[in-house]
Amino acid sequence: MVDSGARGSILVVCTGNVCRSPYIEVVLRHHLAGTGIAVTSAGSRALAGSPADAETERALAEDGLTADGFVARQLHPDLVEAADLVITATREHRSAVAQLQPRAMRRAFALTDLADLLRVAVDTGQVRREDQAVAEVVAAATACRADVAPRPAESADIVDPYRRGPAVFAQAADQVRSALPPVVTALRTAVG
């Protein structure tokens, strides 16, 4: 699924691929710099060819990052097939991924659900150093599913900030910032 020598690949999915998924992509790529893990994104109903939303750029600038050169693209089965892990902004996006590529269901997670699973996996030492780091993290998250109660639906999704102003985008960015630490820790642990 990944190029030889790579530690794995992550695909981030939201709707338009101009707000949530590019934000997650850029922040996650920054935190995983030097690991050999590739991070890309796509949208289930992408505004293909568009740059990242201005609010995405503002939030990234607050983090000292930029989405310069980013171009939105449409989610398609080949992208899903190529990814070792698919992180979605919502559970609905996870369902959209599964409809495109049913085999991907086992390696697709809504971001908040993945964070909950990996928090337990890291705390219990279930993430080990592996050459295929991303596949190891997927296995660790999957192994914790029986031990972690799913979040209530109302707290599982990253809010869609598209055309809803700076306050809603700030809310979405805060949700991402709070969910990413256990994901980054698990991936960095697996890289070693």
Side-chain angles (χ1 to χ4, degrees):
M1 277 185 233
V2 296
D3 296 335
S4 62
R7 304 308 285 279
S9 63
I10 300 170
L11 175 66
V12 183
V13 176
C14 74
T15 305
N17 194 214
V18 293
C19 294
R20 293 170 289 182
S21 58
Y23 180 78
I24 296 166
E25 173 189 347
V26 170
V27 172
L28 190 55
R29 185 182 305 125
H30 170 74
H31 286 297
L32 297 176
T35 63
I37 297 172
V39 184
T40 60
S41 66
S44 60
R45 291 191 312 268
L47 300 172
S50 297
D53 187 84
E55 293 299 330
T56 302
E57 288 285 7
R58 277 191 202 95
L60 287 169
E62 289 174 15
D63 296 333
L65 303 171
T66 181
D68 284 349
F70 176 84
V71 177
R73 64 183 178 161
Q74 179 62 39
L75 181 67
H76 59 81
D78 292 343
L79 290 173
V80 176
E81 183 63 30
D84 294 300
L85 168 61
V86 181
I87 299 174
T88 64
T90 69
R91 288 176 178 165
E92 183 179 325
H93 294 124
R94 182 175 184 250
S95 295
V97 166
Q99 287 174 0
L100 279 178
Q101 191 64 260
R103 292 182 310 230
M105 191 66 160
R106 65 176 179 75
R107 63 183 194 280
F109 301 84
L111 175 59
T112 56
D113 292 331
L114 180 63
D116 293 344
L117 294 166
L118 291 177
R119 192 170 287 112
V120 171
V122 168
D123 289 348
T124 58
Q126 294 183 52
V127 180
R128 296 181 243 336
R129 186 184 186 291
E130 293 288 339
D131 287 338
Q132 290 297 315
V134 177
E136 167 60 17
V137 167
V138 169
T142 300
C144 290
R145 279 191 168 147
D147 301 322
V148 177
R151 287 177 181 242
E154 63 273 5
S155 67
D157 296 342
I158 305 300
V159 65
D160 187 356
Y162 184 64
R163 293 186 174 175
R164 295 177 67 196
V168 178
F169 200 95
Q171 178 187 357
D174 286 345
Q175 289 175 307
V176 170
R177 288 180 191 123
S178 69
L180 277 181
V183 176
V184 171
T185 298
L187 289 161
R188 287 208 157 269
T189 299
V191 168

